[in-house]
Amino acid sequence: MREMGNKNQKVIEVSELLNKLPIHKERIVNAKFRNPNGVSMKLNNFKAIDPRHNGKGMDRYSKLDEEVFFEFQNDTIGLSRIAENIKKTVSDSKLVKSLYQIGNDLEEDIQVKEGKVIYKLHRYRERNYTLNKKKKDNYFKKHGKLDCEICGFDFFKTYGEIGKGFMECHHKIPLSQTEGEFSTRLSDLALVCANCHRILHRELDTSDIIGLKQVIISMKSKLNTK
Ligand SMILES: [Zn+2]
Ligand SMILES: [Zn+2]
């Protein structure tokens, strides 16, 4: 228990890091927010959850603590990659500033295993206007239309002139798998309609284009057999 106390240098470092995360609308003026004591308590909650841990932890943990623990207990590589990405992000003050500007939209209904910082990074990567335009131009040249790669929706077909050229870009490579630079290639992007994009983001860690395409196909065939 002692080694994870609030005087532990590592605990203090984590506390400082958590206070720098660009996920809150305004800087929280609350000395207790994720302070070393809170971090220490959380770590001891995990001890209580960990079946491999002998001895006691603090067993007043939440359902979410439990979910987080079991999600990552056998994926320490994935977990440390996520942590590295978050650390790298926080150390880049220009990036942090940009992330603050990304609204907390969708926040209530998304489940992001990697956490809000990674989610914001994902949105940030998708906001590259020049790259998105290039992607759309290339696609249009090749296919003569701009339709959703998942459901086939074509904004121009439905809305006419006002929908012309409209399509969102989704970044296919999960940030948890990214190492090094966060640079984006055209082939990393998929063109998706606003509906499909939102659904993809409800569960960022399982967001794959082919998977969602199959969901739509199987839902359609269910409807047809009724
Ligand atoms: Zn779609
Ligand atoms: Zn996306």
Side-chain angles (χ1 to χ4, degrees), residues 122 126 170 197 201:
H122 178 93
E126 292 180 339
H170 175 67
H197 201 185
H201 276 213

Side-chain angles (χ1 to χ4, degrees), residues 148-153 167 191-197 216:
C148 173
E149 288 183 36
I150 295 170
C151 73
F153 189 85
M167 193 55 77
L191 294 176
V192 293
C193 75
N195 275 353
C196 287
H197 201 185
I216 295 177

Side-chain angles (χ1 to χ4, degrees), residues 5-221:
N6 59 8
K7 298 275 187 296
N8 182 307
Q9 193 49 39
K10 287 236 178 312
V11 169
I12 294 169
E13 274 169 34
V14 172
S15 163
E16 284 169 357
L17 180 79
L18 292 176
N19 271 283
K20 284 187 204 147
L21 299 184
I23 52 174
H24 307 284
K25 278 203 181 102
E26 280 149 44
R27 192 74 199 88
I28 293 188
V29 192
N30 179 355
K32 280 190 177 161
F33 178 76
R34 304 279 188 264
N35 65 9
N37 222 7
V39 172
S40 164
M41 260 157 63
K42 186 64 71 191
L43 290 170
N44 284 303
N45 285 149
F46 288 140
K47 277 189 182 174
I49 299 165
D50 191 349
R52 296 164 300 190
H53 175 70
N54 300 318
K56 279 190 70 156
M58 291 186 62
D59 52 14
R60 286 178 61 195
Y61 52 81
S62 69
K63 184 109 193 56
L64 186 63
D65 292 341
E66 211 174 31
E67 276 172 33
V68 169
F69 182 85
F70 288 113
E71 179 78 55
F72 290 111
Q73 77 161 338
N74 295 318
D75 183 21
T76 45
I77 294 172
L79 182 63
S80 70
R81 241 189 234 152
I82 292 167
E84 277 312 312
N85 276 342
I86 291 174
K87 271 199 247 172
K88 209 169 78 192
T89 305
V90 170
S91 67
D92 182 342
S93 57
K94 220 176 120 197
L95 184 57
V96 166
K97 232 180 177 172
S98 311
L99 293 188
Y100 265 119
Q101 282 159 10
I102 291 182
N104 294 324
D105 58 329
L106 303 179
E107 214 166 57
E108 303 85 35
D109 65 349
I110 52 152
Q111 299 273 332
V112 188
K113 156 176 118 172
E114 290 91 344
K116 282 180 198 158
V117 177
I118 297 292
Y119 169 70
K120 282 196 166 196
L121 267 176
H122 178 93
R123 301 293 289 185
Y124 176 72
R125 281 198 306 188
E126 292 180 339
R127 285 189 176 197
N128 188 328
Y129 175 80
T130 324
L131 206 67
N132 290 0
K133 187 167 182 322
K134 219 176 184 176
K135 176 81 187 174
K136 289 196 276 188
D137 286 350
N138 274 10
Y139 189 92
F140 191 81
K141 253 185 219 151
K142 206 167 156 195
H143 302 275
K145 58 180 180 178
L146 217 51
D147 56 347
C148 173
E149 288 183 36
I150 295 170
C151 73
F153 189 85
D154 183 329
F155 285 91
F156 181 62
K157 248 188 184 166
T158 301
Y159 300 107
E161 217 31 57
I162 199 176
K164 202 173 176 180
F166 188 80
M167 193 55 77
E168 297 188 2
C169 283
H170 175 67
H171 204 297
K172 291 187 283 188
I173 316 290
L175 265 160
S176 53
Q177 282 172 28
T178 313
E179 274 173 287
E181 275 314 297
F182 297 130
S183 58
T184 302
R185 292 164 304 180
L186 275 191
S187 57
D188 294 338
L189 296 172
L191 294 176
V192 293
C193 75
N195 275 353
C196 287
H197 201 185
R198 205 157 170 153
I199 293 295
L200 277 174
H201 276 213
R202 287 200 82 184
E203 269 193 59
L204 199 59
D205 57 316
T206 57
S207 69
D208 75 289
I209 308 291
I210 298 160
L212 192 56
K213 220 172 181 170
Q214 264 152 8
V215 168
I216 295 177
I217 292 168
S218 85
M219 289 309 287
K220 266 191 187 147
S221 74

